[in-house]
């Protein structure tokens, strides 16, 4: 898409665009001619929001937080001014003024012009009651709905007033401006002053009342949350006292640590017991049965002193285990263990030994190991007893822990609720004490009329209409996919171009009289362009003679161009044979009425008489037939070879490519195929297959001829 094409399109429709713009300006002139003058009144309300002293106690007192808070407060105030409730108050006072004053702002509409005095008084009574009570008119009440229609007819209703009402903050200042525009300066000032007054009263009364109600409500709620929190704390304290709980978490940790310690000692004791048993069996294995009998009889002898020492050792070991393996009990256990071993040794010296065997050391070792083994057994019993006691205590703490956690969870929830309400109470109480103080800076007064915007509106209408015209034409240009110039055809198909031919104005020309004197002037430019095309074709042929001319679809001027090329070649003394290969639409045959036909020549090799004419024509009878149905390919090729020897140029007018294979069969015998395309047409999706076919022909395709083109380019485009 080239932008130059868009400017050509604009040039084509320039007068239409000018007419539309002028019509829009004339219509705008008559529309704005009777528009009334506009009067603007404005007042300012000081809010005190920007005063930094009012934000000293804010929770977030940073510059950004303070700026956000200020913006929110201004937004809230401006939205309050726009409330329907306040604008209704203005509407009531406007209509009351116009119905009761001798110089109303606006005259009554023709529908209400003939109201009786009684009806006027009734309306005034209803409006004043609504004004005092601050109530809207009910549209479901027939009487009040009629009064609402009166407001609408006077343009005093909410929608009409909002349309010309402007409320904004004055940049970064502390002021809110209220502006109203109307056709009456007194009306504009009245609306602005009344709305400012109603807004200040509404805010002072209602907002303060709401803040006070909020503080009272939060105070009551705060007491309830405090009492609920204290009650839950008392319940937890009583439960702990009842169940003897000091610190459940520490108690559970202590017991669990003791269980782990006793478990470790139990494992260590089991290892010692197994070691002693193994060592003892190893010692016994070194005695023969007779000596072992003496030893066992001595060891099993229940000596009184040994039994007493053994009992003392068991008791001391129980104390050591029960104390949690306190190191201060360990010396007592070790002392008693050594004493027991010593007594066993003395007993063995007297009674155990077999006089025939000298194994004193083994006996002493066996007695020591037995004492250690017995001590390990006693320790395991004590450890198991302590583990059972600790597990019982730990299991007892589980239900207590669940209940305590439930109490603590309830207390946590109640505490959060209390703190949340406390924060809300403090913020609301602080806000109520440092609330905004509103004040109207100065009353609005009637002002002079605003500069007229009539000329601006007329100019704006011209610009808008111009823009719409340009945009419409651009959209049409952008969506237009037609081929208008040779460059477009080359870009769309990526195939070469032989040349362009202009439109022949007037009625459809007679092919037999195309080059006669009577058509000389009309055909002058066409002839010049045709000569250029003829030259390009000769460059493509390079000595070959058979040219097939086709098109994508019917009606693109293919036959006219074929006949014109035939006359163009005869003008340079070429002997030309023109073949009508279009069996579906034999236009050449109908126009020239030849004597010899394709069906006869290629089937029976009919002889073409030699004559002095430079142009010979071979027609067809237009039957439902194809070239290869007349004769086989080899015979037809032979006949074409014969024709090449007799003629300098052979031109074949083919059917369009959408005629299935009829055109393709002729192309088999042509040296070059040329396609004609009509300008201002689009290459449809269904025709892209024909373009692909031409592309696949490679060097056998000579190029395009753009017919009926508006821009002429005679030079051949290079192949892409």
């Amino acid at each position: 898409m080239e932008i130059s094409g868009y400017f050509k399109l604009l040039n084509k429709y320039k007068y239409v665009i000018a007419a539309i713009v002028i019509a829009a300006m004339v219509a705008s002139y008559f529309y704005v001619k009777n528009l009334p003058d506009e009067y603007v009144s404005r007042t300012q309300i000081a809010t005190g929001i920007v005063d930094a002293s009012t934000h000293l106690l804010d929770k977030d007192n940073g510059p950004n937080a303070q700026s956000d808070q200020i913006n929110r407060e201004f937004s809230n105030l401006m939205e309050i001014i726009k409330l329907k409730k306040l604008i209704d108050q203005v509407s009531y006072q406007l209509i009351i003024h116009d119905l009761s004053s001798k110089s109303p702002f606006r005259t009554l509409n023709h529908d209400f012009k003939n109201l009786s005095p009684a009806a006027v008084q009734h309306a005034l009574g209803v409006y004043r009651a609504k004004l005092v009570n601050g109530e809207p008119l009910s549209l479901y009440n027939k009487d009040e709905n009629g009064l609402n229609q009166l407001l609408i007819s006077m343009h005093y209703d909410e929608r009409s007033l909002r349309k010309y009402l402007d409320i904004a903050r004055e940049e970064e200042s502390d002021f809110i401006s209220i502006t109203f525009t109307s056709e009456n300066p007194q009306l504009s000032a009245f609306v602005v002053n009344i709305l400012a007054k109603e807004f200040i009263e509404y805010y002072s009364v209602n907002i303060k009342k709401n803040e006070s109600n909020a503080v009272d409500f939060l105070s009551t709620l705060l007491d309830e949350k405090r009492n609920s929190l204290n009650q839950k704390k008392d319940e937890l304290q009583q439960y702990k006292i009842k169940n003897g709980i000091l610190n459940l978490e520490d108690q559970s940790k202590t017991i669990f640590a003791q269980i782990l310690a006793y478990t470790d000692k139990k494992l260590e004791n089991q290892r010692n017991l197994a070691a002693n048993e193994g060592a003892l069996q190893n010692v016994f294995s070194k005695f023969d049965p007779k000596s072992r009998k003496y030893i066992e009889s001595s060891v099993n002898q229940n000596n009184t002193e040994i039994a007493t020492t053994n009992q003392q050792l068991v008791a001391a070991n129980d104390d050591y285990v029960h104390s949690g393996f306190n190191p201060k009990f360990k010396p007592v256990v070790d002392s008693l263990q050594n004493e027991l071993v010593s007594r066993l040794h003395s007993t063995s010296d007297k009674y155990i030994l077999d006089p025939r065997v000298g194994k004193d050391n083994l006996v002493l070792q066996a007695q020591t190991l037995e004492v250690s083994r017995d001590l390990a057994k006693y320790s395991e019993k004590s450890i198991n007893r302590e583990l059972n006691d600790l597990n019982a205590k730990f299991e007892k703490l589980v239900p207590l822990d669940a209940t305590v956690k439930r109490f603590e969870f309830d207390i946590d929830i109640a505490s959060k609720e209390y703190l949340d309400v406390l924060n809300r109470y403090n913020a609301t109480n602080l806000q109520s004490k440092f609330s905004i103080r509103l004040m109207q800076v100065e009353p609005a007064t009637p002002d002079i009329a605003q500069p007229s915007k009539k000329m601006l509106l007329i100019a704006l209408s011209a610009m808008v209409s111009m823009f719409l015209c340009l945009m419409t034409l651009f959209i049409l240009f952008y969506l237009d996919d037609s081929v208008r110039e040779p460059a477009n055809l080359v870009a769309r198909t990526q195939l070469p171009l032989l040349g362009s031919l202009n439109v022949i104005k007037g009625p459809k020309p007679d092919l037999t009289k195309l080059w006669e004197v009577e058509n000389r002037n009309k055909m002058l430019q066409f002839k010049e362009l045709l000569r250029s095309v003829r030259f390009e074709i000769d460059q493509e042929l390079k000595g070959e003679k058979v040219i097939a001319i086709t098109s994508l679809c019917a009606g693109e001027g293919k036959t006219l161009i074929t006949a014109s090329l035939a006359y163009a070649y005869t003008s340079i003394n070429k002997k030309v044979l023109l073949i009508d290969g279009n069996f579906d639409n034999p236009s050449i045959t109908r126009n020239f009425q030849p004597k010899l036909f394709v069906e006869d020549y290629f089937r029976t090799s009919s002889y073409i008489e030699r004559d002095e004419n430079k142009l010979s024509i071979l027609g067809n009878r237009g039957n439902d037939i194809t070239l290869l149905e007349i004769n086989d390919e080899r015979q037809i090729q032979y006949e074409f070879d014969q024709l090449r020897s007799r003629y300098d140029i052979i031109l074949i007018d083919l059917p369009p490519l959408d005629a299935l294979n009829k055109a393709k069969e002729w192309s088999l015998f042509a040296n070059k195929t040329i396609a004609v395309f009509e300008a201002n047409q689009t290459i449809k999706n269904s025709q892209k297959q024909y373009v692909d076919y031409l592309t696949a022909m490679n060097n056998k395709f000579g190029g395009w001829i753009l017919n009926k083109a508006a821009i002429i380019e005679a030079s051949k485009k290079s192949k892409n």
Side-chain angles (χ1 to χ4, degrees), residues 193-218:
N193 290 328
I194 292 298
L195 183 58
K197 174 176 170 292
E198 292 293 334
F199 164 62
I200 293 173
E201 290 181 359
Y202 175 83
Y203 185 85
S204 301
V205 175
N206 291 278
I207 301 301
K208 280 295 183 182
K209 182 179 179 181
N210 292 339
E211 289 178 350
S212 178
N213 292 338
V215 171
D216 293 340
F217 170 76
L218 290 174

Side-chain angles (χ1 to χ4, degrees), residues 703-719:
W704 293 100
I705 297 177
L706 182 62
N707 193 25
K708 302 179 183 180
I711 299 176
I712 306 302
E713 284 189 29
S715 61
K716 178 185 176 183
K717 304 295 179 183
S718 61
K719 293 184 179 181

Side-chain angles (χ1 to χ4, degrees), residues 393-405:
K393 291 180 181 180
F394 191 78
E395 290 175 358
K396 184 180 179 182
L397 291 179
V398 173
L400 297 178
D401 181 63
T403 305
V404 170
K405 285 185 176 179

Side-chain angles (χ1 to χ4, degrees), residues 508 510-512 558-560 563 578 580-594 617 619-620 622 653:
K508 186 176 181 181
D510 186 352
L511 296 180
T512 59
K558 165 179 59 64
T559 301
L560 173 64
L578 178 59
D580 189 353
N582 191 349
F583 294 105
D584 296 329
N585 183 22
S587 299
I588 291 177
T589 304
R590 285 195 299 267
N591 282 278
F592 291 96
Q593 298 296 320
I617 299 174
N620 71 74
D653 181 29

Side-chain angles (χ1 to χ4, degrees), residues 333-531:
V333 174
D334 293 340
S335 176
L336 291 173
Q337 185 178 2
N338 294 332
E339 183 180 350
L340 180 60
V341 171
S342 176
R343 291 186 183 279
L344 288 173
H345 288 174
S346 62
T347 303
S348 65
D349 291 340
K350 297 177 182 181
Y351 305 109
I352 295 177
L353 291 179
D354 184 354
R356 295 170 298 178
V357 182
K359 296 184 178 181
D360 294 347
N361 291 332
L362 291 176
V363 172
L364 293 176
Q365 185 177 358
Q367 291 174 346
T368 303
L369 290 173
E370 282 189 337
V371 172
S372 298
R373 181 196 61 186
D374 294 341
L375 182 62
K377 289 181 179 180
Y378 300 146
S379 297
E380 183 173 5
K381 292 180 181 179
S382 300
I383 290 172
N384 288 334
R385 186 167 55 253
E386 290 297 327
L387 280 174
N388 292 334
D389 292 342
L390 290 173
N391 286 326
K393 291 180 181 180
F394 191 78
E395 290 175 358
K396 184 180 179 182
L397 291 179
V398 173
L400 297 178
D401 181 63
T403 305
V404 170
K405 285 185 176 179
R406 180 175 60 81
F407 278 117
E408 291 177 344
F409 179 77
D410 292 341
I411 291 173
D412 184 58
I413 296 297
S415 177
K416 290 180 179 179
E417 291 178 351
Y418 171 74
L419 292 176
D420 182 57
V421 175
L422 179 62
N423 292 333
R424 291 172 179 264
Y425 172 78
N426 291 334
T428 305
N429 192 32
L430 184 65
Q431 184 179 0
S432 66
K433 287 180 170 55
F434 290 91
S435 60
I436 302 169
R437 301 291 185 267
L438 301 178
M439 179 182 65
Q440 185 177 5
V441 178
E442 59 181 1
T445 56
D447 204 350
I448 61 175
Q450 295 294 303
S452 177
K453 298 180 181 178
K454 296 178 181 179
M455 293 303 298
L456 178 62
L457 293 175
I458 294 174
L460 183 62
S461 67
M463 294 174 61
V464 170
S465 60
M466 173 69 78
F467 174 77
L468 292 176
C469 289
L470 296 178
M471 183 57 66
T472 302
L473 290 177
F474 181 79
I475 293 173
L476 293 176
F477 170 74
Y478 183 80
L479 298 177
D480 186 10
D481 199 30
S482 60
V483 176
R484 298 183 180 276
E485 299 178 357
N488 299 145
L489 184 57
V490 173
R492 300 277 171 81
T493 63
Q494 301 297 309
L495 293 173
L497 182 75
L498 294 173
S500 305
L501 297 175
N502 64 304
V503 179
I504 301 175
K505 297 181 180 179
K508 186 176 181 181
D510 186 352
L511 296 180
T512 59
K513 300 179 180 180
L514 199 61
W515 301 97
E516 294 183 0
V517 177
E518 60 185 81
N519 293 319
R520 179 178 298 173
N521 295 330
K522 183 170 67 174
M523 301 296 295
L524 184 61
Q525 185 183 20
F526 186 82
K527 282 184 178 181
E528 292 297 328
L529 297 172
L530 191 64
R531 290 188 181 104

